Amino acid sequence: MPRHQPAALPIAYVVLRVLIVLNWIYGALLLAILGLSLANEHWTFMALGVPVSDQTRPLVMGMRAIAALGLLTVPLNLAMLKRLVAMVHTVRAGDPFVADNANRLQAIAWVLLALQLISLIIWAIGKAVSTPAHPLHLNAGFSPAGWLAVVLTFVLARVFAEGTLMREDLEGTV
Amino acid sequence: MGIAVKLDELLHERRMTLTELAERIDITLANLSILKTGKARAIRFSTLEAICAVLNCQPGDLLEFQPNKDSAERPRAA
């Protein structure tokens, strides 16, 4: 039985649900832009402020690659958010120290690591194709906070795994 | 487990039921049953002391190391 239900939990649950929907919308929009850029290249890139020419070809290809990488983050975000929702469920049920949650945290840590690596690749592509005439301003690259989150999540997953074993020990003690 | 719990034999010798022992040492019957069936992972000194006091025995009378018995190694979490 959960003893006390702080408001943070229902809020977190709603926020996570909203983020899952937003992630789907983000994926759909990226897919639409990528599809349009292939179906009607000139119109799409003109709308994005990049007239297609031999000079802007690397930029066009770079933007496509960035969109494709962005698309790759959709299932990763979804995997992370779904696991977080499952974890919130266990907390609300009053039983968060279970092996499943340790595994979920471990998986989230790997997803965060993958997202950081993708961010670095996007930054590198942006740097390579950006020109003074058409500069690319991307919110990507090395993020100390992001990498700290990766390390913290790996550590937390380990703490959860050990905590679960300790609880199992305690439950088996007469 | 390589450690066998001989509570059943001790209770039989003392003509005492598990329920009676549970009441006298103030432990739930469910927990005592877990101990009796060898499903417990650990035993507190306070529980051991209470059982020994009521059954008038030594810890060695209650527990026995059986080297040939398989040790149930618990799986470690990843």
Side-chain angles (χ1 to χ4, degrees), chain A residues 103 158 161-162 165 168-169 172-174, chain B residues 31 40-44 47 74 76 78:
Chain A
N103 294 335
R158 203 57 236 159
E162 290 298 325
L165 285 176
E168 281 173 5
D169 272 351
T173 301
V174 175
Chain B
N31 269 346
R41 278 228 172 96
I43 180 167
R44 289 190 181 90
T47 306
R74 70 183 178 191
R76 300 287 298 181

Side-chain angles (χ1 to χ4, degrees), chain A residues 42-120:
Chain A
H42 282 271
W43 182 85
T44 311
F45 282 98
M46 191 60 90
L48 292 170
V50 181
V52 180
S53 66
D54 286 344
Q55 283 83 31
T56 59
R57 181 55 60 188
L59 181 61
V60 166
M61 295 310 290
M63 286 171 79
R64 275 204 187 109
I66 288 168
L69 283 169
L71 213 51
L72 192 66
T73 64
V74 174
L76 290 173
N77 290 334
L78 188 67
M80 179 170 62
L81 292 169
K82 277 192 160 181
R83 279 169 176 82
L84 278 172
V85 167
M87 287 184 75
V88 169
H89 271 304
T90 62
V91 178
R92 290 178 92 173
D95 193 20
F97 290 103
V98 290
D100 278 350
N101 276 351
N103 294 335
R104 284 181 187 125
L105 269 174
Q106 182 93 353
I108 288 170
W110 283 111
V111 168
L112 287 174
L113 179 65
L115 289 173
Q116 286 304 312
L117 291 174
I118 288 172
S119 182
L120 282 178

Side-chain angles (χ1 to χ4, degrees), chain B residues 1-65:
Chain B
M1 283 273 278
I3 301 290
V5 180
K6 299 188 293 178
L7 188 58
D8 228 6
E9 289 99 310
L10 282 173
L11 286 172
H12 184 72
E13 283 169 16
R14 267 71 170 175
R15 300 279 185 269
M16 193 185 284
T17 65
L18 199 66
T19 310
E20 199 181 336
L21 178 65
E23 281 167 6
R24 288 184 64 177
I25 64 173
D26 200 24
I27 278 182
T28 63
L29 184 61
N31 269 346
L32 207 53
S33 185
I34 287 170
L35 181 67
K36 193 191 85 167
T37 52
K39 288 175 186 163
R41 278 228 172 96
I43 180 167
R44 289 190 181 90
F45 277 133
S46 57
T47 306
L48 195 57
E49 186 184 340
I51 292 172
C52 288
V54 170
L55 297 181
N56 192 25
C57 65
Q58 291 298 314
D61 299 329
L62 183 67
L63 305 171
E64 184 185 46
F65 175 55

